Amino acid sequence: MRAITYSQTGDSSVLTLGERPVPEPGPGEVRVRIAVSGVNPTDWKAREGGRPFSFTEVTPNQDGAGTVDAVGEGVTSVSVGQRVWVYLAQHERPTGTAAEFAVIPAERAVPLAEGASFALGASLGVPAMTAHRALTVHEDGPSRLAPGALAGRTVLVQGGAGAVGHAAIQLAVWAGATVIATVSSDEKEALARAAGAHHVLQYPSETLADGIRELAPEGVEHIVEVAIAENAALDVEVIANHGSIGYYADNGGDSFTAAVRASFAKNVRWQGLLLYTVGETALTAAAEDVSAAVADGALPVGEEAGLPVTWFPLDETSAAHDAVAAGGDREGADPGQRRGLTPLARPRTAITVEAAPSASAAMASAAGLPRRWATPPITAPATSDAHRSRGRRHAVRERPVSRDARPSPRLTSVPVA
């Protein structure tokens, strides 16, 4: 199989494309034929040395989507031929999704709802599951999300056009909350509104707190926070009694201070969030609820849904990693840059959907891939939000699923298997 690997940490030049044996699943594992591999900031940070390098060789990328190709002993949760979305594929393992096949624990391959694209599936892992956690840590619940679970609540999403922010808007609206989002420009306001936010306020503004209190006179019950170092004071000012602040990134600084009396007087819950350490109970709940939202059509992606998607062929994985890193995350940007598709570099960067050979169009259609695989490449503008004007986008690499069909020399898309 074709796979991206690295055998030492460093910049994106350590990533190489090569041939590797197709791996076999062991007990409790499944092998997934990857159709789309998503890139998140956590992927380039690990490659750069942000975590201990424990393996001889690693295939990067945590998120993805594809079709179950083989199952190991004891696996009953999914079956061969089933379409799935994948999360934490490379967590404590060397087998990420930047390859034609990935072997992962069966619980990390989640059935993908009928009609949902592989691009959507690859966008669900880190961002949507982080957003789910941020919305389910209030002391009065809910611990699970479903239609009506947040009815009567108001949710403030700081950085509402970013990756996790976008997912938080969608999940909160699906669960019945009133959603206020903050963004930094008119363009990002349009994205947050497309995601479903009921109210959108722009920063920086000296009247931001007043605007939030006007919309939520009793305070907001839930805050999904991308920049706690910058927003802690504002959050305390606008939060309701017993409210929760779920923070998942260190935009703007690696420490924060808050007014002690003002926050304890409101019984504020400060809740840090990290998928790698959150525990299996929370991960399972997130996977199940996110899947239910997908089935209800509540988590679409694409510019019309508020989250433009950027595409790279497999052999340009290094460029995808660079694009994510260039989005400002080196200083602490959103670690979830949304939806298995990664944040990109500059506002208004063009995205390119590469064509696959027309010979693979029928197979792509049968596998649930877009029919555009049989069309010429197209381009469209890509934008996303970053707190405090740091641009973020999501880069996705999608490949045809045929073992035999190969792209013509003039195309740069990479076939799977």
Side-chain angles (χ1 to χ4, degrees):
M1 69 173 183
R2 295 162 66 98
I4 298 293
T5 62
Y6 62 97
S7 56
Q8 63 181 18
T9 57
D11 63 25
S12 63
S13 66
V14 302
L15 299 174
T16 60
L17 175 66
E19 292 287 340
R20 295 293 184 273
V22 176
E24 295 296 329
E29 296 179 330
V30 299
R31 185 173 68 206
V32 178
R33 185 193 295 262
I34 300 297
V36 183
S37 176
V39 184
N40 291 284
T42 188
D43 300 316
W44 72 258
K45 288 179 178 180
R47 182 217 71 226
E48 199 171 68
R51 294 196 300 273
F53 190 73
S54 306
F55 304 98
T56 303
E57 182 179 81
V58 168
T59 291
N61 299 356
Q62 300 286 358
D63 295 344
T67 304
V68 176
D69 178 75
V71 299
E73 180 183 353
V75 173
T76 59
S77 56
V78 293
S79 57
V80 172
Q82 192 164 11
R83 300 167 68 248
V84 294
W85 61 277
V86 171
Y87 69 91
L88 297 187
Q90 199 251 301
H91 177 45
E92 298 181 335
R93 302 169 62 85
T95 53
T97 62
E100 294 172 348
F101 295 90
V103 169
I104 59 173
E107 63 270 18
R108 297 181 192 174
V110 186
L112 184 60
E114 183 177 357
S117 70
F118 285 136
L120 171 56
S123 77
L124 296 173
V126 170
M129 295 177 77
T130 299
H132 179 279
R133 178 66 174 169
L135 293 168
T136 55
V137 294
H138 195 284
E139 69 173 276
D140 294 327
S143 61
R144 300 294 297 265
L145 296 182
L150 292 175
R153 303 280 184 91
T154 300
V155 174
L156 173 63
V157 179
Q158 298 275 35
V164 174
H166 177 267
I169 291 171
Q170 292 181 319
L171 286 171
V173 169
W174 175 65
T178 297
V179 178
I180 304 169
T182 64
V183 297
S184 61
S185 69
D186 292 341
E187 184 177 50
K188 294 168 186 177
E189 178 175 341
L191 293 176
R193 292 190 183 280
H198 300 97
H199 310 283
V200 183
L201 303 175
Q202 292 191 24
Y203 59 79
S205 171
E206 293 181 357
T207 61
L208 184 56
D210 293 337
I212 295 169
R213 284 196 300 264
E214 183 177 346
L215 295 169
E218 302 301 317
V220 299
E221 286 83 6
H222 305 257
I223 298 178
V224 181
E225 183 57 76
V226 68
I228 189 69
E230 296 176 333
N231 293 332
L234 171 67
D235 291 343
V236 171
E237 192 172 351
V238 302
I239 200 165
N241 190 27
H242 292 279
S244 64
I245 303 171
Y247 61 99
Y248 58 91
D250 56 359
N251 287 24
D254 58 6
S255 64
F256 73 92
T257 59
V260 174
R261 183 173 295 276
S263 57
F264 78 58
K266 289 185 174 182
N267 298 278
V268 172
R269 174 173 290 192
W270 303 89
Q271 179 73 57
L273 314 171
L274 183 65
L275 290 188
Y276 298 131
T277 56
V278 76
E280 289 301 321
T281 299
L283 289 175
T284 299
E288 291 176 356
D289 295 352
V290 166
S291 288
V294 172
D296 284 350
L299 289 172
V301 297
E303 189 159 13
E304 69 283 355
L307 188 76
V309 175
T310 303
W311 302 85
F312 292 88
L314 181 63
D315 59 358
E316 293 181 13
T317 299
S318 60
H321 275 222
D322 287 344
V324 178
D329 191 70
R330 189 175 302 274
E331 298 179 11
D334 177 349
Q337 297 355 56
R338 163 48 170 159
R339 317 241 108 157
L341 300 56
T342 19
L344 261 221
R346 295 169 300 280
R348 310 308 301 171
T349 298
I351 64 171
T352 301
V353 180
E354 298 289 356
S358 57
S360 61
M363 296 182 202
S365 179
L369 293 176
R371 290 288 299 180
R372 63 172 172 267
W373 279 107
T375 65
I378 60 174
T379 59
T383 60
S384 183
D385 184 45
H387 203 82
R388 301 303 180 203
S389 302
R390 294 188 181 97
R392 298 199 294 275
R393 294 160 194 65
H394 266 72
V396 177
R397 299 183 301 287
E398 183 164 346
R399 287 97 66 192
V401 296
S402 166
R403 283 182 180 272
D404 303 317
R406 297 289 175 180
S408 63
R410 66 186 178 82
L411 298 175
T412 59
S413 57
V414 178
V416 164

